[in-house]
Amino acid sequence: MIDFPETALQVIHVEEPTLEFGLGQSLDHPKDGLFLYGPEGKRSRNEVKIGVIGTEEGVADFRSWLTRLKRGIKVPAPSQRDKDVRLHLSDFPGLTEAYGINVDTDDFREYIVTLDDIDQASSIANSHEAVGKTADLFVDIIIRHQREEEETIDVWFLVLPELVHERCRPEAIKRRATANLISGQFSKKQKKREDLPLFFGDPTMAGEDIFDDIPDFHRQVKAKLLTVGEVCQLVRETTLTPSKFLNREGNPIRGVQDDATIAWNLATAIYYKSQATPPWKISGMREGVCYIGLVFKLLPNHKENHACCAAQMFLSEGDGVVFRGANGPWMTEKKEFHLSKDAAQKLIRSVLATYREKFGDNPRELFIHGKTKFSTEEWEAFSEIAPAETNVVAVRIRPTHGEVKLFRDGDYPCIRGTAMILGEQDAYLWTSGYVPRIDTYMGPETPNPIFVTVLRSTDDPPSIETVLQDIMNLTKINYNAANYNDALPVTIRFADKVGDVLVMGSAQDAERQPFKFYI
C-alpha cells in the first residue's frame, strides 16, 4: 500500500524529446530522421570494412543480407486480420540512403569456422572449457587478423549457428547440469570451487583460470575483445534466415522481427560501431551536463559480497564511455551495493578527467543515477572530489512492478511522458505508454512507471521537472537499435549488460572503453 501526500497530486506531461540528425534537422523518431536527413555529424568513413566469421552457410546468408541492406526492405503487408496501417513499423530505405555509408558485399573479409569444430568444442563435458573453446574459435581469428594483417576491420560480425545458442548459454548449461544431477551423476551438492559440478565446470579437466569467465558465449566474446580494441556484433543464423530452421509442424523454430526492423537494427549497429560519433543525438540537450550510471555486479567464484563496480558516462552528444572501478566487498547485508569512500572518489575522478579531456573544463552539473540510495560515505566522496563549480546531483531511478497504475479515459494506457509529481524530490514517470506519434502502446500490459527521487545535491537541486525531462531524453539514445524509445534511461538500461561483461576474468585490464564495446 502506498501512502500518497494529502495535497492534490499534480499530473503533468513531460515533452517527448526530439533528436538531431543531418543538416541540423530534428524529429522525434530515429527512423524518420535518418530516412529524411541522414545521421548527425560528420562521418569518420564512408566505406565501412566488415569482417564476418561463421560457417560457410552463415557467411553466405550474411552476404545476402548485406545485399538486401543496400537495396532497402519494405515492411510486410498487413494480414487479413490486421488491416490497419502499422505505424510502429518503418520501411528500411537502404544503408547508404539512411546512413550515408557503404559496405562492399564483394570485398569484406570472411573467415570460416566449421560446424564440426563448433560441435566438438561446445560438446566438451566441462562447461567452462566448452564455452571458452567455442568462443576462442571466433576470438582467436580476430586477434590473429589484428596481429598478422594490415587491413583494419571496422566491425566484426559473428554469425552464429543454433548450436552455439543451444549449448553456450547459462540457461542451456543449467539444463544440462540438472539432467546430469537427475541421472545420478552427482550424489550431493558440492560447493567448493575445486569440487564444482558440471554447471560450474569440472576442474579435473582444465586449469583454474577457466573459472574466471562465466560460461556464457556472448559475455566471453565481448570481454575478450575489450582488451584488444575490437568491436563486434553477434547475429544468429536463425535471425537472417528463419525459414531455413523449421520445427516438425513446418514453422520457424523461433519468432523474429520483420525483415525491415532487422535491417534497421543491423544497419544501426554497423554505423554506430564504425563511426566516431553516434547516428543521432538529443536536440537541445542542456550543455555542460554529464550523466553517469553506477554499475555493480557480483563476482563469480568469489566471496558472496564481492562485486565489480563501474560507471557509465553519457554526455550531451549521447555517446558513452564505461569506466571500470575497483573490485571489493560492495554488497551489504541488506543486499544493496555501496562503494567505500576511496573507491567512489577514484571512480568519479576518472569520469571528471575524461570530461575535461573532451571539453577542456569541468561540467556544470554531474548527475549520478543509481537504483538504490547512496550511503553517507559515498556522498561524502562525491562531494569532496567534485570541483567547486560542479553541482553533483544524486538521483535514484527505480522500476516499479504494478504498485501504481494510471489509465487514460479510464481504460487505456496513459501517454508516454505522463508524470505524477509527489513533491519537490519525488515523482512517478511513465517512460512507456501510448505514443500518439506511432498510434500505439508497445507493451503487453498496462505500463508501469519508474519512481524517481532526487536524493541530494551539492548546490541548489534542479527542479523535479528538469530531472524528469533529462531522464526522458536518456530513453532515446539506445544505439543498439533504432527504436522510438526505451522504458529506462540509458544510464540504467544497460547496467546489467555492462556488469555482465566486466566481471569476466578476460576483462580485468579494461579500465576505460567506449560504450559500443559492451553492446
Side-chain angles (χ1 to χ4, degrees):
M1 186 70 178
I2 297 175
D3 293 326
F4 290 110
E6 295 182 0
T7 56
L9 294 175
Q10 181 186 7
V11 177
I12 66 171
H13 181 256
V14 182
E15 290 297 322
E16 184 65 46
T18 56
L19 308 172
E20 187 170 328
F21 301 93
L23 308 175
Q25 299 298 308
S26 298
L27 280 175
D28 61 348
H29 200 316
K31 293 174 183 176
D32 288 350
L34 292 167
F35 175 78
L36 293 172
Y37 308 117
E40 191 276 336
K42 186 177 181 180
R43 289 175 287 281
S44 310
R45 52 188 59 82
N46 294 324
E47 292 290 331
V48 176
K49 192 67 178 180
I50 295 292
V52 184
I53 307 173
T55 64
E56 285 192 13
E57 190 170 9
V59 171
D61 289 339
F62 187 83
R63 186 188 299 276
S64 298
W65 250 98
L66 277 183
T67 301
R68 297 183 68 195
L69 280 181
K70 298 177 70 172
R71 293 175 180 170
I73 301 174
K74 289 186 174 297
V75 300
S79 65
Q80 291 297 319
R81 293 182 301 174
D82 181 20
K83 296 183 179 181
D84 295 333
V85 177
R86 290 169 288 179
L87 297 179
H88 64 285
L89 300 181
S90 300
D91 292 341
F92 180 71
L95 186 62
T96 302
E97 287 76 6
Y99 291 90
I101 57 176
N102 182 58
V103 175
D104 190 340
T105 55
D106 297 321
D107 186 32
F108 64 74
R109 181 57 66 99
E110 63 179 61
Y111 291 99
I112 303 299
V113 178
T114 69
L115 195 60
D116 286 343
D117 286 343
I118 295 173
D119 178 44
Q120 184 176 354
S122 62
S123 61
I124 295 173
N126 178 310
S127 58
H128 278 76
E129 188 177 8
V131 177
K133 286 187 177 296
T134 305
D136 286 341
L137 289 174
F138 294 81
V139 173
D140 287 350
I141 290 173
I142 297 175
I143 294 176
R144 186 167 62 249
H145 177 95
Q146 186 188 64
R147 184 174 61 245
E148 299 176 358
E149 303 291 337
E150 294 184 1
E151 180 184 48
T152 299
I153 301 298
D154 297 313
V155 185
W156 289 96
F157 274 85
L158 278 54
V159 183
L160 307 178
E162 282 305 283
L163 206 58
V164 175
H165 185 75
E166 292 169 359
R167 296 180 180 177
C168 298
R169 294 178 303 134
E171 295 85 352
I173 293 166
K174 286 179 183 178
R175 288 196 298 270
R176 186 167 64 171
T178 301
N180 287 332
L181 287 169
I182 293 174
S183 66
Q185 183 172 345
F186 305 108
S187 59
K188 62 180 180 179
K189 188 174 182 181
Q190 300 160 310
K191 295 184 178 180
K192 293 182 180 180
R193 180 184 175 99
E194 60 269 22
D195 293 324
L196 290 171
L198 182 62
F199 171 45
F200 295 99
D202 178 359
T204 64
M205 302 181 66
E208 282 199 356
D209 57 334
I210 64 171
F211 290 96
D212 291 331
D213 281 344
I214 292 171
D216 183 321
F217 181 89
H218 181 274
R219 294 164 67 177
Q220 286 205 21
V221 166
K222 293 290 185 180
K224 290 176 178 181
L225 293 181
L226 271 180
T227 54
V228 297
E230 296 283 356
V231 292
C232 73
Q233 182 72 24
L234 278 58
V235 58
R236 292 162 65 180
E237 289 182 3
T238 51
T239 299
L240 302 177
T241 54
S243 61
K244 286 186 179 181
F245 303 90
L246 306 178
N247 57 26
R248 294 179 180 178
E249 288 74 31
N251 300 317
I253 62 174
R254 58 183 287 251
V256 298
Q257 296 171 304
D258 64 282
D259 285 356
T261 299
I262 293 173
W264 277 110
N265 294 342
L266 288 176
T268 302
I270 292 174
Y271 187 92
Y272 176 54
K273 296 185 178 184
S274 67
Q275 306 295 318
T277 58
W280 66 83
K281 67 179 183 180
I282 303 297
S283 178
M285 197 80 158
R286 296 186 300 125
E287 295 183 359
V289 182
C290 178
Y291 306 90
I292 67 172
L294 293 187
V295 176
F296 291 95
K297 201 74 175 182
L298 286 173
L299 292 165
N301 305 318
H302 288 73
K303 296 179 181 179
E304 290 185 357
N305 65 339
H306 275 61
C308 169
C309 74
Q312 307 171 89
M313 179 181 78
F314 295 91
L315 307 173
S316 57
E317 282 76 10
D319 203 3
V321 178
V322 175
F323 302 86
R324 184 190 183 90
N327 295 344
W330 309 136
M331 191 172 76
T332 68
E333 293 181 356
K334 295 181 178 180
K335 306 299 182 182
E336 295 180 348
F337 292 101
H338 295 292
L339 291 171
S340 67
K341 186 174 183 178
D342 181 61
Q345 286 188 337
K346 287 182 178 178
L347 195 58
I348 301 303
R349 187 181 291 115
S350 299
V351 171
L352 291 170
T354 298
Y355 188 95
R356 286 191 295 269
E357 287 176 14
K358 184 173 181 64
F359 296 103
D361 203 353
N362 292 310
R364 290 189 296 103
E365 293 178 285
L366 174 63
F367 285 84
I368 304 177
H369 291 173
K371 292 183 179 180
T372 61
K373 292 182 178 181
F374 300 104
S375 68
T376 300
E377 191 174 10
E378 285 175 313
W379 181 248
E380 289 177 352
F382 300 153
S383 303
E384 293 174 10
I385 202 66
E389 64 270 27
T390 301
N391 185 19
V392 182
V393 185
V395 180
R396 181 178 63 174
I397 300 173
R398 181 176 62 84
T400 63
H401 304 284
E403 57 260 41
V404 175
K405 293 289 187 181
L406 190 64
F407 296 90
R408 177 170 50 94
D409 295 333
D411 296 307
Y412 301 102
C414 63
I415 296 175
R416 166 176 149 84
T418 301
M420 183 186 295
I421 308 298
L422 304 182
E424 294 182 354
Q425 295 177 289
D426 303 288
Y428 286 101
L429 174 64
W430 277 261
T431 50
S432 60
Y434 174 75
V435 179
R437 173 71 176 73
I438 55 178
D439 193 26
T440 191
Y441 159 55
M442 299 293 293
E445 58 182 23
T446 305
N448 295 318
I450 58 175
F451 187 56
V452 179
T453 301
V454 181
L455 298 169
R456 304 186 189 185
S457 63
T458 55
D459 204 341
D460 293 336
S463 68
I464 188 66
E465 291 82 2
T466 297
V467 173
L468 297 179
Q469 184 66 67
D470 284 354
I471 291 173
M472 283 286 286
N473 291 345
L474 293 170
T475 66
K476 303 278 284 193
I477 51 176
N478 175 2
Y479 302 120
N480 207 34
N483 297 332
Y484 186 81
N485 68 275
D486 275 339
L488 289 172
V490 68
T491 47
I492 301 295
R493 165 77 168 79
F494 291 97
D496 284 339
K497 290 184 179 295
V498 170
D500 283 345
V501 174
L502 283 177
V503 296
M504 307 294 276
S506 305
Q508 293 299 314
D509 296 328
E511 298 299 326
R512 185 182 81 174
Q513 288 284 20
F515 184 66
K516 66 184 68 177
F517 283 81
Y518 292 85
I519 63 173

